[in-house]
């Protein structure tokens, strides 16, 4: 009975921590992407008009938006990757603890 209660409490804590981590990650991603966009757009606006033949401002804006979107997507997926790696590692350690080296066979 103690194991069951412990597993239920662990699962509840896990879901609360995952939700909190997702919220903090999304808030950080939005703040970071907004700051990066603002800094790069400010640099684009400060370019002199005579360098238009080297750097077309429309292309720069498009590249900035694409790069920031890729950064945004990566940072959103990063906690899922870390959580998956942690859970798989924990599962393998527990299998080794309960079954010994025979867990590799099946």
């Amino acid at each position: 009975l103690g194991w069951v209660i412990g597993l239920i409490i662990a699962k509840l804590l896990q879901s609360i921590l995952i939700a909190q981590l997702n919220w903090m990650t999304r808030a950080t991603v939005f703040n970071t992407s907004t700051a990066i966009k603002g800094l790069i757009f400010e640099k684009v606006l400060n370019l002199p008009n005579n360098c238009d033949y080297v750097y077309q401002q429309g292309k720069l804006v498009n590249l900035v938006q694409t790069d920031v979107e890729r950064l945004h997507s990566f940072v959103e997926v990063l906690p899922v990757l870390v959580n998956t790696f942690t859970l798989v590692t924990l599962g393998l350690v527990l299998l080794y603890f309960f079954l010994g080296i025979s867990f590799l066979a099946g």
Side-chain angles (χ1 to χ4, degrees):
L1 185 63
W3 281 87
V4 174
I5 294 172
L7 287 174
I8 291 172
I9 291 173
K11 191 63 179 173
L12 287 173
L13 285 174
Q14 178 190 9
S15 63
I16 290 170
L17 289 175
I18 288 173
Q20 185 69 19
L21 179 66
N22 284 338
W23 181 81
M24 288 182 353
T25 301
R26 286 180 186 226
T28 304
V29 165
F30 287 128
N31 290 337
T32 306
S33 64
T34 303
I36 291 173
K37 281 182 188 178
L39 287 173
I40 296 176
F41 284 142
E42 183 179 332
K43 278 192 163 194
V44 169
L45 290 175
N46 288 334
L47 286 174
N49 288 334
N50 60 1
C51 73
D52 201 26
Y53 64 94
V54 177
Y55 304 108
Q56 295 176 350
Q57 291 180 357
K59 276 188 174 181
L60 285 175
V61 170
N62 190 17
L63 288 173
V64 166
Q65 295 230 347
T66 303
D67 290 343
V68 169
E69 183 63 33
R70 285 182 182 169
L71 177 70
H72 184 104
S73 298
F74 172 72
V75 175
E76 273 191 339
V77 172
L78 189 63
V80 175
L81 292 175
V82 170
N83 188 27
T84 302
F85 177 74
T86 304
L87 289 176
V88 168
T89 303
L90 182 63
L92 290 175
V93 168
L94 287 174
L95 279 174
Y96 178 75
F97 178 71
F98 287 121
L99 299 177
I101 196 68
S102 64
F103 84 97
L104 291 174

